[in-house]
Amino acid sequence: METPLGSAVPIKGPGRWRVALLDTWRRLDRATLALLGLLALIALLAPAQWLSTVRFAGANFVALLPVLLPSVALAASIKASGAETLVARAFGGHPVQAVLAAALAGALSPLCSCGVVPLIAGLLASGVPLAPVMAFWLASPVMDPAMFVLTAGAIGLEFALAKTLAAVAVGVLGGAVATLLARRDWFAGTLREHRLAQAPAGAAGWAARRPPLALRFWREPARRAQFLAAGWAQLRSLGVLMAIAFVLESLMLAYVPAGAIAAWLGGSGAQAIPAAVALGVPAYLNGVAAVPLIGGLIELGMNPAVGLAFMVAGGITSVPAALAVWALVKPRVFALYIGLAATGALATGYAYAAWLAFAR
């Protein structure tokens, strides 16, 4: 029996499940499809590795939640309360002052390279210029207070201070380059999502049109709904990206042993700095795990500048961070991010090598 077009007659029988599956398939985003495809490929090509990969990804995702959830909540709270106008104004002042402040804030921020992504998305969507955001983004994953203490204890106070200065320097470099390129209008739009496109009127004009600040946003139903919607959307998106990153990380740990990385980084002279940067960009996995690795290599005679270059380049472009950046911004901004990470790591490595030669 035919039904009128647009009628709500439910589909019965086996066809109902086919329609439900097709509808679910259409709703899946590309990141989710990539995750499912990657897991299927591992099950096909390396079935013995599949369960270990799933366990590794699950354990690391659970371990990341104490950092990820506050970051997502902070970004959603800033949006729901209207406090993004304050952040936009703080980072939207004089370019030089904004870049310096952002680089210092990034070096002192406790947020990791993954946890900072929701905040970065909110800043760019708020109309904050790319330059201070890039400065904060580049400096934040290189150093934080906990990492400073760990690095100072395992490698030495001088190395920890050099890494902190490197974080600020790379952030300032990134902000300066982004400022120069912005004058040519190369980065008029930064985010991939059109609905999150950077406000064309700039931070000040955008902030003037925003609703008034309400720090106790939970008292207003509309703002509560905005908080929940923004938080869930970012958590769902970042959760899939982090799952992909951890799956790839498990494969790297399984098939690229740490001994091989140690052998590649074993050079005792500054001439090994480019190799350390080239290796750090794709192979760096975890900032905490890199500290004892680099500390042990330095004790075996490796030039500390080589280790610094590896840690700076890898910290910014680690697998989870790079995937999150790629999904968030347009390709030209991602290319700038990677290029600045490599250039900054090379510069800081050679600068530290020169300092060590002078100090000796």
Side-chain angles (χ1 to χ4, degrees):
M1 177 179 176
E2 296 184 359
T3 58
L5 185 63
S7 63
V9 177
I11 301 175
K12 298 181 180 180
R16 177 181 59 181
W17 299 107
R18 287 196 295 269
V19 171
L21 288 174
L22 286 174
D23 183 63
T24 302
W25 178 263
R26 294 190 188 101
R27 292 175 182 270
L28 293 177
D29 56 86
R30 287 181 293 180
T32 303
L33 293 175
L35 175 61
L36 295 176
L38 183 58
L39 291 174
L41 191 63
I42 296 172
L44 179 64
L45 300 180
Q49 176 63 28
W50 190 88
L51 185 58
S52 298
T53 293
V54 172
R55 287 176 175 171
F56 177 89
N60 278 271
F61 185 79
V62 171
L64 181 66
L65 284 178
V67 175
L68 184 62
L69 289 177
S71 301
V72 170
L74 175 61
S77 299
I78 290 174
K79 187 173 185 62
S81 65
E84 52 189 346
T85 60
L86 302 179
V87 180
R89 289 192 178 102
F91 278 8
H94 190 278
V96 175
Q97 295 176 355
V99 166
L100 288 175
L104 287 171
L108 299 175
S109 168
L111 297 175
C112 66
S113 56
C114 303
V116 78
V117 171
L119 181 58
I120 293 299
L123 292 176
L124 291 176
S126 301
V128 176
L130 178 62
V133 173
M134 184 66 76
F136 182 83
W137 208 342
L138 290 169
S140 183
V142 177
M143 183 56 75
D144 59 60
M147 182 63 67
F148 181 89
V149 174
L150 177 63
T151 304
I155 302 178
L157 179 60
E158 181 186 273
F159 189 92
L161 290 173
K163 196 164 182 277
T164 303
L165 292 175
V168 177
V170 173
V172 171
L173 171 66
V177 172
T179 299
L180 294 175
L181 294 178
R183 292 175 180 175
R184 298 177 177 269
D185 203 28
W186 286 5
F187 297 103
T190 54
L191 297 174
R192 286 182 181 269
E193 295 288 343
H194 178 70
R195 60 186 175 82
L196 292 176
Q198 184 173 331
W206 174 88
R209 299 191 301 270
R210 296 296 293 168
L213 179 67
L215 295 179
R216 299 179 180 180
F217 63 88
W218 55 87
R219 294 183 173 182
E220 302 178 27
R223 291 183 185 256
R224 285 201 305 269
Q226 187 180 27
F227 169 81
L228 294 175
W232 171 245
Q234 292 204 23
L235 181 62
R236 181 180 59 186
S237 176
L238 290 175
V240 175
L241 292 172
M242 293 302 101
I244 295 175
F246 291 136
V247 168
L248 295 176
E249 182 177 347
S250 72
L251 297 178
M252 293 177 68
L253 289 173
Y255 298 108
V256 183
I261 297 178
W264 294 332
L265 291 177
S268 59
Q271 66 273 9
I273 289 176
V277 172
L279 180 64
V281 169
Y284 191 89
L285 298 176
N286 181 279
V288 175
V291 171
L293 172 64
I294 297 301
L297 290 175
I298 292 175
E299 291 180 358
L300 294 175
M302 184 183 74
N303 191 321
V306 177
L308 179 63
F310 175 77
M311 296 181 79
V312 171
I316 299 173
T317 62
S318 63
V319 173
L323 280 175
V325 174
W326 172 257
L328 181 63
V329 299
K330 294 182 178 179
R332 61 180 180 270
V333 181
F334 178 79
L336 177 65
Y337 175 84
I338 298 297
L340 289 171
T343 303
L346 281 171
T348 55
Y350 281 119
Y352 190 39
W355 163 256
L356 293 174
F358 173 78
R360 291 172 184 170

